[in-house]
């Protein structure tokens, strides 16, 4: 199946708000360019901004024993960074790293809180999104424990493909090993298997999705479970 270009979309959370509410939020946002590997939040530190990715995507990781980290979430134009503010908590629980550079909308905390207080529709939408995030975190925990590396890699590639707005994106073996919490040799074996099946093309960190349907078949059921939860809560 030949690759097909994805069309960038605006942030889906903001797009779902009523027009008046959306305009108020957008008026308080600043369009910015997120840079690859930029750190946006650290665990235990105060949240400075809320981010609504449009073309960029952000990796959420949790530290393990202070020596390593494991990716537990990925935020693209379907979501936002800073969701704990909905609970009145302005401390970040996770490390947030820009994995795919591109555009985003950034909002300072004070105007975000004002809009949240004034908009019932925004409260409802973001509470539903928080429910989705909690479900995805639980799904990732189960996936990491029970599923083999190849299926987990296929799931991660699908998640990235959804947020990259293109069939090609860049990520190294070292970064994949870090994200999946496995040794580099495990990622190499899994990526080689997917490439041998002509599902992806991989060369020096450049990945191209060749067969989206085949990659979905190779993934564990966690990918579809995540999508089903999002669709049920947010449409």
């Amino acid at each position: 199946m030949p690759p097909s270009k994805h069309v960038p979309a605006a942030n889906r959370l903001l797009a779902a708000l009523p027009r008046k509410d959306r305009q108020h939020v957008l008026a308080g946002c600043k369009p910015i360019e997120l840079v690859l590997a930029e750190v946006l939040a650290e665990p235990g530190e105060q949240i400075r901004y809320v981010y609504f990715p449009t073309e960029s995507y952000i990796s959420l990781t949790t530290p393990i024993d202070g020596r390593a980290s494991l990716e537990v979430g990925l935020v693209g134009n379907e979501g936002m960074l800073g969701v704990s503010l909905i609970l009145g908590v302005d401390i970040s629980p996770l490390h947030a790293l820009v994995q795919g550079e591109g555009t985003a909308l950034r909002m300072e905390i004070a105007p975000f809180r004002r809009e949240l207080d004034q908009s019932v529709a925004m409260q409802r939408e973001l509470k539903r999104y928080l429910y989705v995030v909690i479900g995805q975190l639980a799904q990732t925990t189960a996936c990491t424990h029970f599923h083999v590396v190849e299926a987990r890699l296929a799931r991660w590639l699908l998640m990235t493909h959804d947020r990259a707005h293109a069939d090609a994106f860049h990520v190294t073996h070292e970064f994949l090993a870090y994200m999946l919490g496995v040794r580099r040799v495990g990622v190499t074996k899994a990526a080689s298997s997917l490439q041998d099946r002509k599902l992806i093309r991989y060369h020096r960190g450049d990945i191209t999705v060749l067969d989206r349907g085949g990659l979905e078949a190779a993934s564990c059921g966690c990918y579809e479970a995540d999508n089903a939860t999002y669709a049920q809560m947010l449409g």
Side-chain angles (χ1 to χ4, degrees):
M1 184 176 74
S4 58
K5 184 73 175 178
H6 284 191
V7 178
N11 185 273
R12 290 167 60 186
L13 284 181
L14 297 183
L17 294 175
R19 184 172 178 270
K20 183 178 178 180
D21 299 68
R22 183 171 65 253
Q23 287 180 333
H24 273 280
V25 176
L26 291 174
C29 289
K30 178 182 178 181
I32 61 168
E33 287 282 337
L34 296 182
V35 179
L36 184 66
E38 181 180 359
V39 176
L40 303 179
E42 292 278 14
E45 292 190 1
Q46 189 168 17
I47 297 171
R48 297 177 56 206
Y49 300 103
V50 170
Y51 295 86
F52 296 96
T54 49
E55 293 180 303
S56 55
Y57 48 103
I58 302 162
S59 175
L60 304 178
T61 65
T62 185
I64 302 170
D65 297 330
R67 299 189 303 273
S69 294
L70 178 69
E71 184 176 81
V72 294
L74 199 59
V75 179
N77 74 317
E78 85 295 339
M80 63 170 283
L81 178 65
V83 70
S84 66
L85 289 165
I86 301 167
L87 302 174
V89 179
D90 63 357
I91 301 298
S92 174
L94 300 169
H95 177 84
L97 178 76
V98 177
Q99 188 175 294
E101 60 187 11
T103 57
L105 296 171
R106 187 178 73 186
M107 195 173 193
E108 294 184 358
I109 301 307
F112 174 79
R113 282 175 165 161
R114 283 197 299 270
E115 293 301 328
L116 193 60
D117 288 341
Q118 295 170 9
S119 173
V120 174
M122 187 175 177
Q123 292 174 25
R124 181 174 59 250
E125 185 79 4
L126 296 188
K127 285 177 181 178
R128 285 176 173 270
Y129 176 65
L130 178 58
Y131 176 90
V132 169
V133 170
I134 293 171
Q136 290 175 345
L137 289 172
Q139 195 74 47
T140 296
T141 301
C143 183
T144 302
H145 182 75
F146 289 108
H147 296 148
V148 298
V149 176
E150 184 175 326
R152 289 169 53 205
L153 175 59
R155 177 199 180 206
W156 186 90
L157 292 173
L158 288 166
M159 292 170 63
T160 303
H161 190 228
D162 289 341
R163 294 160 176 82
H165 310 298
D167 290 319
F169 42 89
H170 184 82
V171 59
T172 64
H173 269 52
E174 289 83 1
F175 193 73
L176 282 173
Y178 170 74
M179 290 298 98
L180 296 173
V182 298
R183 291 186 301 168
R184 188 179 184 277
V185 64
V187 172
T188 300
K189 183 178 179 181
S192 296
S193 176
L194 295 177
Q195 182 162 252
D196 290 343
R197 294 161 63 183
K198 295 181 169 47
L199 305 182
I200 63 170
R201 182 169 59 245
Y202 186 86
H203 180 66
R204 294 186 177 181
D206 292 323
I207 294 179
T208 302
V209 175
L210 301 175
D211 184 349
R212 168 83 189 195
L215 203 57
E216 290 176 357
S219 172
C220 55
C222 296
Y223 173 73
E224 284 302 327
D226 284 343
N227 287 346
T229 300
Y230 190 97
Q232 181 184 20
M233 290 293 106
L234 297 166

